[in-house]
Amino acid sequence: MQLPDVLAFLWKGCGGKSSASSVKVGIRWDLRSGQLQGPYLQDGTSHETHNAVHALRLPIGSVWVADAGYYSLKELRQFSQQGIFFVIRPHGNLAVSTLSGQRLPLAAYLHQQTGNVIDLSIRLGSIPALWLPARLLALPVSPEVAEQRRAHLREKARKKGHVPSAQALALAGWNLIVTNIATSQLEAQEVLLLYRARWQVELLFKLWKSHGYVDQWTSTDPTHILCEFYAKLLAMLVQHWILLESCWDDPHRSWMLSADLLRDQVPLLLQGLRGRLPLDQVLALIHEALATNATIPARTTRPSTSHQLLDGVYWGLT
């Protein structure tokens, strides 16, 4: 999120055409319990893998799901050593070897395969002593999507003064996922469904922006803007707590619609937070107001993540 340039002494941005001051927000969200860890703030110039959220330990046997921005072979190796599973998109410059140790020209290999989902047992990394056994899942994308990705790669490379590699351009035609979950534990479709659940984090950030306006402000004073930014983040944490208490027990509840309904209850919530009404009674009233609304209906096309997880086919993920 971009901030006024004068705040660069606190939160450093990229400068140039971008703001000299910006901040990245990192969170970890347990999609079973709803527990939220964070937000942890970092300079806009820092890579996502350096966010303080990565210092938090995960329980043994848990599954860490993340996007390509968090891909770090070193961290994935640590997860495997700690008994933690991962499901993540890799970078385009992925180094892959077969189980026998032979370097795999991935783009050329995938081009020769048929089927909707390709499931490979591989070793990640380019240094034999540091190889990480894993599975690679690959799904072809439409020609339109592939071309859009290639155009993005070319433009990004042009801004940095180089050209994208032939492999990166070729792999743009595929959705790639790597995981250390064995085939005996989860089938390929189940792993892909787990990765789809990662989108819930994106929806949470969308909620914070569209409902909490955390990236907007009404002042021109940098100090006021910073205070407003912090205050809105705190408000989103209170909102998250209320929604967890009120409707997390319904897996088919729309977080967006529930937040809409919760906004109507803010005057009542303020009475509880200020001690004018017993807070437990206020929460009970809010729970009652949200109880019968904002449910995601079952759809025959493009079913929601919650319905896919609970439809009986992937019951092992619940």
Side-chain angles (χ1 to χ4, degrees):
M1 299 181 189
Q2 292 189 354
L3 296 171
D5 291 350
V6 70
L7 295 175
F9 75 95
L10 183 61
W11 299 113
K12 296 179 181 178
C14 297
K17 293 183 179 179
S18 302
S19 175
S21 178
S22 62
V23 62
K24 291 180 180 178
V25 179
I27 63 169
R28 182 170 288 168
W29 193 9
D30 187 336
L31 293 182
R32 295 187 306 165
S33 67
Q35 179 186 10
L36 191 69
Q37 294 178 302
Y40 292 93
L41 308 184
Q42 65 180 121
D43 289 334
T45 54
S46 300
H47 195 273
E48 288 87 344
T49 54
H50 297 155
N51 192 279
V53 71
H54 293 281
L56 303 174
R57 294 190 62 84
L58 289 167
I60 295 176
S62 59
V63 181
W64 183 68
V65 185
D67 200 6
Y70 292 92
Y71 185 83
S72 166
L73 191 55
K74 177 181 178 181
E75 187 167 26
L76 298 186
R77 192 178 296 108
Q78 292 174 346
F79 282 153
S80 290
Q81 294 170 350
Q82 296 165 3
I84 297 167
F85 300 105
F86 58 81
V87 178
I88 188 171
R89 283 181 55 201
H91 290 311
N93 57 349
L94 186 65
V96 174
S97 300
T98 64
L99 293 183
S100 61
Q102 182 179 2
R103 185 67 177 266
L104 184 66
L106 187 56
Y109 176 85
L110 293 178
H111 183 70
Q112 299 171 356
Q113 306 306 305
T114 59
N116 293 329
V117 181
I118 299 169
D119 190 348
L120 300 173
S121 295
I122 59 166
R123 291 176 174 177
L124 292 171
S126 57
I127 304 176
L130 299 177
W131 272 337
L132 175 62
R135 289 167 66 192
L136 173 69
L137 305 181
L139 297 83
V141 301
S142 68
E144 295 77 16
V145 171
E147 189 52 42
Q148 290 175 4
R149 292 180 176 179
R150 293 182 182 116
H152 175 73
L153 287 173
R154 293 188 183 100
E155 178 61 19
K156 184 177 180 180
R158 184 191 65 79
K159 292 181 178 179
K160 294 183 177 181
H162 60 80
V163 295
S165 67
Q167 171 165 290
L169 292 174
L171 292 179
W174 298 85
N175 282 329
L176 302 177
I177 304 293
V178 294
T179 181
N180 61 342
I181 303 176
T183 307
S184 59
Q185 295 173 293
L186 288 182
E187 297 179 358
Q189 293 289 354
E190 295 174 313
V191 174
L192 297 174
L193 183 53
L194 266 183
Y195 184 75
R196 173 177 173 168
R198 186 205 63 83
W199 188 249
Q200 300 305 307
V201 175
E202 302 296 336
L203 293 178
L204 181 67
F205 280 124
K206 180 179 179 181
L207 175 67
W208 287 7
K209 291 181 179 180
S210 62
H211 286 246
Y213 304 103
V214 295
D215 59 345
Q216 301 178 37
W217 27 79
T218 58
S219 176
T220 58
D221 185 301
T223 304
H224 292 176
I225 290 174
L226 191 63
C227 290
E228 186 173 344
F229 172 61
Y230 290 157
K232 287 176 177 177
L233 281 180
L234 290 173
M236 291 301 96
L237 293 181
V238 173
Q239 173 180 273
H240 191 86
W241 168 60
I242 298 295
L243 291 177
L244 282 185
E245 197 282 332
S246 301
C247 58
W248 186 258
D249 55 343
D250 182 355
H252 304 310
R253 188 62 53 88
S254 168
W255 217 236
M256 288 284 186
L257 294 177
S258 296
D260 271 337
L261 295 172
L262 179 58
R263 283 198 297 181
D264 296 334
Q265 306 299 321
V266 168
L268 177 62
L269 177 60
L270 287 175
Q271 299 303 312
L273 294 176
R274 291 172 176 171
R276 296 173 181 173
L277 291 174
L279 185 57
D280 57 345
Q281 293 183 18
V282 168
L283 294 177
L285 291 171
I286 293 177
H287 185 284
E288 182 179 342
L290 301 181
T292 58
N293 297 287
T295 297
I296 303 173
R299 301 188 295 261
T300 55
T301 59
R302 297 182 62 83
S304 66
T305 299
S306 61
H307 281 96
Q308 287 200 46
L309 287 170
L310 297 170
D311 67 1
V313 177
Y314 302 117
W315 59 269
L317 303 181
T318 61

